Amino acid sequence: IVTGFTVEQGPESVAKDAWTIWTANRMDQRAGEVHREALISGDAYAIVWPDAEGNVTIYPQDAANVTVRYDPETPGKLLWAAKCWLADDKHYRLNLYYHDRIEKYIARSTSEAGLPESGNGFVPFEAPGEAWPLANPYGHVPVFHFANNARVGRFGRSELADVVPLQDALNKAIADMLVAMEFVALPQRWATGLEVEIDETTGKPRAPFVPGADRIWSVANEGTRFGQFDPADLGQFLEVQEKFRKEIATVSRTPLHFVVPPTSQWPSGEALRSAESAFLKKVRDRQVAFSNVWEGVMRFALRVAGKPDAMLACQWEDPTPRVALEMAQVALIKQQLGVSQQRILSELGYNPREIEQMQAEAEEEADAAASARARAYNQGG
């Protein structure tokens, strides 16, 4: 969860401007949608552009509709981006985003003919009152790529890539158990030395007994024997399922107690921290990778809004589970070491607007206390 932005280099007011744009775009929710898309699909995208009223707008995108091209000579440098989607009029639309322009196209025929196989299947799309191509005065491709666990200048990889085959196997194990429950979980009974009557109409054997919990089976032949087979042991199916769950936890670096709850006693707090260390390391790795992109998003958004340029640093909610007492103790130690109050409040999860409000309230309280002391002094004098 992104909690705010700080200024590494530039005017301090830019941090407030960035957070204003962030909150105006409801990014407290939409940023989570971008992160989820990146983790599931391997890649996620956001487009930044002014809307019809001129307000800076951040548009999260469906990963299936967008792609980007990096410079092979300069890995990580974005050359252009493309977005292709099916519009309401059943025509495919294509936008190409460059550093200096945006080219918009529309398919010649409707979607019944399928996606055009070449560029000849598209013609320029000229929106009313809009130039073609549309100028990009900001000098940067307005598409930002969130690549999950990717190499430089490459596409990302889904967190589910190694999990899906194991999940399929787990589903198969559960299905096998359900089939076994249906056919052999209940004891199957047998009988020998029993003469079965034949139905004269159908020519098939008649059921020798009428089923029912309140019925007694009885025969006249003393040589008839009854018995039952042992029911199937479903425990082996449960053991297989647990092994698959453990394997899923291993390959995804998910703490085991997230997928296989302890059957007796939960581990101690220290044991839980140790079990979650690999998982938290992966979370922090994604925070670093996504931070670089969000910083680029907001720096471009500030440029579109006409605000001063600045180097931003993205702040995140600490993923480490901590109780309020521990957080307060850590904050107190950092305060004694000279860490600024604003940084401490940011690490505690407060956003820039909340921090600004708390600082203003503290100043008001300090002024009120000073005024009260002055009145008391004057009255006493």
Side-chain angles (χ1 to χ4, degrees), residues 5-29:
F5 295 88
T6 58
V7 176
E8 296 291 327
Q9 182 178 353
E12 291 294 334
S13 61
V14 173
K16 182 180 178 180
D17 295 333
W19 191 250
T20 299
I21 296 174
W22 183 271
T23 54
N25 281 272
R26 301 293 186 266
M27 294 306 294
D28 53 343
Q29 173 184 341

Side-chain angles (χ1 to χ4, degrees), residues 189-199 204-211 215-220 224 226:
R189 296 180 174 85
W190 54 265
T192 61
L194 181 66
E195 294 183 4
V196 180
E197 296 181 1
I198 303 298
D199 191 314
K204 296 181 179 180
R206 290 178 177 174
F209 306 106
V210 178
R215 309 272 181 181
I216 297 178
W217 292 7
S218 63
V219 294
T224 303
F226 295 94

Side-chain angles (χ1 to χ4, degrees), residues 249-278:
T250 300
V251 301
S252 63
R253 288 190 287 175
T254 301
L256 184 60
H257 58 272
F258 282 13
V259 293
V260 183
T263 56
S264 57
Q265 183 178 356
W266 278 83
S268 64
E270 193 63 33
L272 288 176
R273 291 189 185 91
S274 177
E276 296 176 5
S277 59

Side-chain angles (χ1 to χ4, degrees), residues 81 86 93 111 138 181 204 234 253 261 296 301 324 329 336 351 367 376:
L86 183 62
R93 294 276 305 279
S111 58
Y138 308 111
M181 291 170 59
K204 296 181 179 180
L234 300 180
R253 288 190 287 175
Q329 290 173 343
Q336 294 172 349
N351 61 50
D367 292 341

Side-chain angles (χ1 to χ4, degrees), residues 1-2 5 35 39 145-150 280-296 312-317 319:
I1 300 176
V2 176
F5 295 88
H35 300 156
L39 296 174
H145 179 204
F146 296 79
N148 180 65
N149 196 23
L280 293 174
K281 182 179 179 181
K282 184 171 69 170
V283 172
R284 292 191 177 94
D285 176 80
R286 301 303 184 270
Q287 285 181 341
V288 172
F290 293 164
S291 284
N292 294 330
V293 187
W294 282 128
E295 290 158 7
L312 298 175
C314 184
Q315 303 297 314
W316 296 81
E317 181 178 310

Side-chain angles (χ1 to χ4, degrees), residues 138-154:
Y138 308 111
H140 190 285
V141 177
V143 179
F144 297 86
H145 179 204
F146 296 79
N148 180 65
N149 196 23
R151 297 167 59 190
V152 178
R154 302 291 182 88

Side-chain angles (χ1 to χ4, degrees), residues 74 122 139 195 269 277 289 371 376:
T74 310
F122 288 94
E195 294 183 4
S277 59
S371 299

